[in-house]
Amino acid sequence: MSSIIQLLPDHVANQIAAGEVVQRPASVVKELLENAIDAGASDIKLICKEAGKVLVQVIDNGKGMSVTDARLCFERHATSKIRQAEDLFDLHTKGFRGEALASIAAIAHVEMKTKQDQEELGTHIIIEGSKFVSQDVAVLPKGTSFLVKNLFFNIPARRNFLKSDIVELRHIIDEFQRVALAHHNIHFTFYHNGSELFNLPQSNARQRIVNIFSGKTNEKLVPIQETTDIVSIQGFIGKPEFAKKNKGEQFFFVNDRFIKSGYLHHAIMNAYEGLLRDGSQPSYFLYLNVPPHTIDINIHPTKTEIKFDDEQALYAILRSAAKHSLGQFNVAPVLDFERDFNLDTPYSYQNKEAETPTIQVDSNFNPFQEEKKQSNFSYKPKTENLPHWESLYVGLDTKSMDIGEMSFESETVTSSLFSDSEVEKAPTKTYQIHKKYIVNPIKSGMLIIDQQRAHQRILYEQFLTNITIHQANSQQLLFPITLYFSGNEIALIQVIQQSLESTGFVFEAINKDSIVISGLPVTVSESEASIVLEQLVSDLQDEVPDSSFSQMDSMAKSMARSLAVKTGTYLTEEAQVNLVNNLFACKEATVSPFNKTTFITLSVEDLDKKFSI
Ligand code: ADP
Ligand code: MG
């Protein structure tokens, strides 16, 4: 039989290897940034267009390459970073596998310009799908510039597999931040579609964190430091009260390389035991240094998972360092049961009678007043939703609690119940109990409505309608308001800008660390603007939804959550009635946007049963 095995041509082998190294534009960003760092650059610029799908460019002022190296660097397994197998166990560079550039050149259009400091002229190479197109001598500044265009141009399946720009940009920002956090002594700038997203000057580790995650981060962190023979730990961990429900800011760096480790994460969570609200996640920025020969980085092509020689010892040291740091900075609550509580009260007050606090309630206060002014927030239930109502609201008139002689069950009478004047009069008496529930008698018994969830439902549907039909009303602000955000929060706001505008936000400017708003959705008051946007950014930080519809859905949910009247808020009777009316005008009155029950009914039979003994 004839033999059938062949060696794959290089360009095919490179394409296959590329599958491992380059999953998405963010992988290119990571590889190019790491090469620039390995080249000793002190200034690195990242430029992307359309979330890296159209262009990723990295410009560095590092050591550059000779003419020969410039040609060789695109070969597979071509590296200047290791020479022999033993070097794998004493790594001081980010790269060492020599496959990134070969992989990238196999699946994109690449243009490289590079010049070494001591040389007069540099080299300019164009390579497309592993084929050298041109090589010229050129006048260039010191360093290297890689321009990667049309990623996956020759693998349509991979290109189609890419997510929306929002998602891909998020991945790029993640990679950029990881590299920038690990190298605070390098100046990084990042431009996306022509606007500057980050400009991070050389600084210390803490300033770098603050520059990336906003000034507010500073007060939320406590330092951590520990040096032992097997590891030295430095960095910052978040005070427990600032722990968040999403996992955003958790970083481990080992020898300046970002790594993922469920095991080390567990060590940190263990140190926080008893200090966190259920399910909340602390921030941490931990820089570990270990002797290079005690780790194996070569277990994963993207090098984000590594193997430690003595993982258990590392776990113990990390946990105790974190505990120590939380204790030292007095963030752990001290539960001292032996304390004499009398000492807590100043002596002269000790035997004083407690005064009953007087509470002044403004009976005219109506939390729904704002909404009442809006034309698009009608108190009149929409007629198409009447079927929801009928069964619940049969016989609701205050004067006609005894409805023996009046039947509301017929169509005609029911609809007259909802005429403007009838609704104005309010269908029935409502009661608020515990500033939480609205109780409403109905013919068959009573309704008990959760005020917060009900209001969330109302606002959610209202926002969603406004956003999807682009009919949102804006209120123009007399004086534009400026809100401050961190670089990556701004980047996020930019990607959802259009959806935000369709809810009624008007942006006058979006700057590097602030936004200027000149118009707000009618449902959002000036004082609520920052709360709504901050909540929104934090809700979307983990994963910005892919499709624009689910993006709008997430926004409507987030805004409904921020703006809904909370448990513990007193509602006037008018507000209560409006709430009930608006709830039953909703398409899905029974559940909140977060799938929680908005109301329950208690029938007369239920009550009878309870009284049967
Ligand atoms: P690796 O980084 O694993 O060595 P790469 O394919 O990423 O492999 O790069 C191949 C080689 O090209 C590197 O070893 C390095 O010598 C050279 N190189 C790549 N990028 C740069 C750069 N920005 N500046 C100088 N040399 C570079
Ligand atoms: Mg590399």
Side-chain angles (χ1 to χ4, degrees):
M1 229 166 91
S2 61
S3 304
I4 49 171
I5 297 178
Q6 292 178 16
L7 275 178
L8 287 174
D10 269 358
H11 70 275
V12 180
N14 284 341
Q15 259 195 29
I16 295 171
E20 280 202 322
V21 184
V22 185
Q23 273 109 36
R24 49 177 17 123
S27 330
V28 175
V29 168
K30 172 178 191 278
E31 294 297 337
L32 295 184
L33 290 177
E34 290 191 346
N35 278 347
I37 290 164
D38 285 344
S42 60
D43 192 313
I44 301 177
K45 288 187 181 57
L46 168 65
I47 299 162
C48 294
K49 280 199 187 129
E50 292 175 34
K53 293 173 188 169
V54 169
L55 170 79
V56 173
Q57 184 176 17
V58 171
I59 304 169
D60 70 52
N61 65 350
K63 65 179 182 223
M65 278 179 264
S66 69
V67 189
T68 323
D69 285 353
R71 183 90 190 193
L72 251 184
C73 72
F74 292 106
E75 296 297 322
R76 203 142 58 98
H77 307 308
T79 180
S80 56
K81 299 171 192 173
I82 57 170
R83 296 252 173 273
Q84 48 201 10
E86 290 84 80
D87 296 346
L88 273 178
F89 304 100
D90 190 25
L91 286 168
H92 297 272
T93 50
K94 298 265 171 288
F96 55 85
R97 297 168 62 112
E99 54 193 5
L101 294 182
S103 301
I104 294 168
I107 50 167
H109 295 162
V110 178
E111 190 174 341
M112 181 185 74
K113 292 175 181 168
T114 187
K115 188 184 90 76
Q116 290 178 309
D117 203 12
Q118 68 278 11
E119 299 293 330
E120 286 271 303
L121 295 167
T123 311
H124 177 193
I125 285 182
I126 297 178
I127 173 167
E128 297 179 349
S130 295
K131 286 190 196 69
F132 280 92
V133 175
S134 69
Q135 175 165 356
D136 300 302
V137 175
V139 177
L140 298 167
K142 171 203 171 190
T144 306
S145 153
F146 269 98
L147 205 134
V148 178
K149 287 188 287 192
N150 308 325
L151 190 66
F152 299 130
F153 78 98
N154 50 357
I155 319 179
R158 296 294 297 274
R159 204 175 161 83
N160 296 337
F161 189 68
L162 291 178
K163 298 274 179 65
S164 69
D165 283 8
I166 298 167
V167 175
E168 295 301 339
L169 178 63
R170 185 69 240 165
H171 284 288
I172 292 177
I173 292 176
D174 283 346
E175 291 295 354
F176 174 82
Q177 287 180 345
R178 291 166 182 177
V179 173
L181 283 169
H183 297 274
H184 50 82
N185 48 355
I186 296 177
H187 178 195
F188 287 95
T189 28
F190 177 7
Y191 299 86
H192 183 249
N193 289 346
S195 55
E196 186 181 274
L197 290 190
F198 294 91
N199 187 345
L200 310 171
Q202 292 182 346
S203 59
N204 63 30
R206 190 165 189 143
Q207 282 167 335
R208 177 56 54 96
I209 296 170
V210 168
N211 284 340
I212 293 179
F213 297 102
S214 91
K216 287 174 279 173
T217 320
N218 200 21
E219 69 204 55
K220 299 179 185 170
L221 299 176
V222 293
I224 172 170
Q225 172 135 38
E226 181 68 78
T227 311
T228 68
D229 285 347
I230 59 169
V231 62
S232 92
I233 302 169
Q234 267 163 355
F236 305 91
I237 55 177
K239 296 177 187 169
E241 67 264 35
F242 294 110
K244 300 195 289 195
K245 67 175 178 9
N246 58 18
K247 267 193 165 192
E249 293 149 18
Q250 299 184 335
F251 297 89
F252 281 115
F253 301 94
V254 174
N255 298 358
D256 299 336
R257 185 190 301 277
F258 169 81
I259 61 136
K260 292 178 186 159
S261 166
Y263 189 65
L264 296 186
H265 171 73
H266 193 267
I268 296 293
M269 293 308 282
N270 199 311
Y272 276 91
E273 206 172 83
L275 298 177
L276 298 172
R277 272 168 287 125
D278 260 2
S280 65
Q281 295 279 339
S283 301
Y284 54 78
F285 302 86
L286 292 165
Y287 300 83
L288 280 59
N289 270 291
V290 297
H293 64 84
T294 65
I295 48 172
D296 182 0
I297 307 168
N298 203 18
I299 52 169
H300 196 270
T302 59
K303 312 183 204 89
T304 46
E305 280 155 47
I306 64 178
K307 214 165 119 10
F308 298 94
D309 272 0
D310 196 350
E311 216 170 33
Q312 277 168 3
L314 206 59
Y315 183 101
I317 296 167
L318 194 58
R319 186 188 54 185
S320 89
K323 269 199 162 147
H324 179 74
S325 170
L326 289 171
Q328 193 184 11
F329 293 92
N330 229 350
V331 286
V334 190
L335 289 179
D336 185 355
F337 292 107
E338 314 223 304
R339 200 169 63 176
D340 180 352
F341 285 99
N342 283 330
L343 294 176
D344 288 345
T345 321
Y347 182 73
S348 56
Y349 283 87
Q350 223 179 85
N351 299 316
K352 230 178 147 183
E353 279 261 286
E355 273 177 40
T356 320
T358 48
I359 301 166
Q360 299 206 327
V361 180
D362 175 8
S363 56
N364 289 325
F365 172 67
N366 174 7
F368 290 79
Q369 202 83 54
E370 278 273 306
E371 294 158 1
K372 208 181 170 189
K373 282 185 245 139
Q374 301 146 31
S375 55
N376 64 341
F377 197 63
S378 142
Y379 294 103
K380 190 177 65 156
K382 290 180 201 122
T383 34
E384 71 262 31
N385 289 310
L386 283 178
H388 288 290
W389 273 72
E390 284 174 25
S391 55
L392 295 167
Y393 271 85
V394 171
L396 283 179
D397 207 60
T398 339
K399 303 159 285 178
S400 54
M401 284 313 286
D402 171 21
I403 50 151
E405 71 279 65
M406 251 204 267
S407 166
F408 282 92
E409 257 137 347
S410 78
E411 260 305 312
T412 44
V413 185
T414 310
S415 49
S416 78
L417 179 68
F418 301 116
S419 70
D420 274 6
S421 57
E422 284 289 323
V423 174
E424 285 297 305
K425 264 195 265 160
T428 187
K429 188 105 189 107
T430 56
Y431 308 89
Q432 186 188 29
I433 51 175
H434 282 267
K435 293 189 188 151
K436 183 172 188 190
Y437 297 113
I438 311 296
V439 179
N440 200 189
I442 51 171
K443 185 190 176 190
S444 61
M446 62 172 155
L447 279 173
I448 304 171
I449 298 169
D450 181 310
Q451 65 184 44
Q452 182 171 346
R453 292 179 186 179
H455 198 207
Q456 284 176 347
R457 163 56 59 184
I458 296 164
L459 290 174
Y460 168 72
E461 291 202 3
Q462 187 192 342
F463 277 123
L464 210 58
T465 316
N466 288 346
I467 302 172
T468 43
I469 59 178
H470 295 282
Q471 200 204 39
N473 295 330
S474 265
Q475 44 174 334
Q476 202 63 30
L477 297 172
L478 204 53
F479 302 103
I481 43 178
T482 304
L483 300 175
Y484 293 89
F485 288 96
S486 69
N488 56 329
E489 288 169 338
I490 294 279
L492 196 92
I493 291 173
Q494 278 175 330
V495 281
I496 57 172
Q497 183 179 352
Q498 266 192 343
S499 302
L500 278 169
E501 284 167 348
S502 58
T503 68
F505 280 97
V506 180
F507 296 96
E508 194 166 283
I510 298 190
N511 307 318
K512 252 184 3 210
D513 58 352
S514 64
I515 56 174
V516 185
I517 298 175
S518 57
L520 288 173
V522 275
T523 21
V524 180
S525 72
E526 227 176 298
S527 58
E528 288 165 332
S530 70
I531 303 168
V532 168
L533 282 174
E534 270 170 25
Q535 180 69 48
L536 185 66
V537 166
S538 129
D539 283 352
L540 295 184
Q541 205 131 47
D542 262 357
E543 177 82 73
V544 180
D546 221 356
S547 75
S548 69
F549 176 77
S550 39
Q551 210 185 102
M552 289 168 183
D553 183 64
S554 301
M555 280 177 43
K557 278 188 181 136
S558 171
M559 288 165 72
R561 180 174 27 220
S562 309
L563 293 167
V565 53
K566 304 283 183 296
T567 296
T569 310
Y570 166 75
L571 298 184
T572 62
E573 205 181 316
E574 192 189 355
Q576 295 170 30
V577 171
N578 288 337
L579 185 81
V580 178
N581 285 345
N582 287 315
L583 176 65
F584 291 103
C586 284
K587 287 204 178 77
E588 273 195 63
T590 53
V591 286
S592 80
F594 308 99
N595 253 331
K596 295 266 169 50
T597 306
T598 49
F599 68 88
I600 55 166
T601 49
L602 217 55
S603 68
V604 179
E605 291 89 81
D606 292 337
L607 292 173
D608 287 346
K609 262 188 225 142
K610 291 206 183 291
F611 283 107
S612 64
I613 31 165

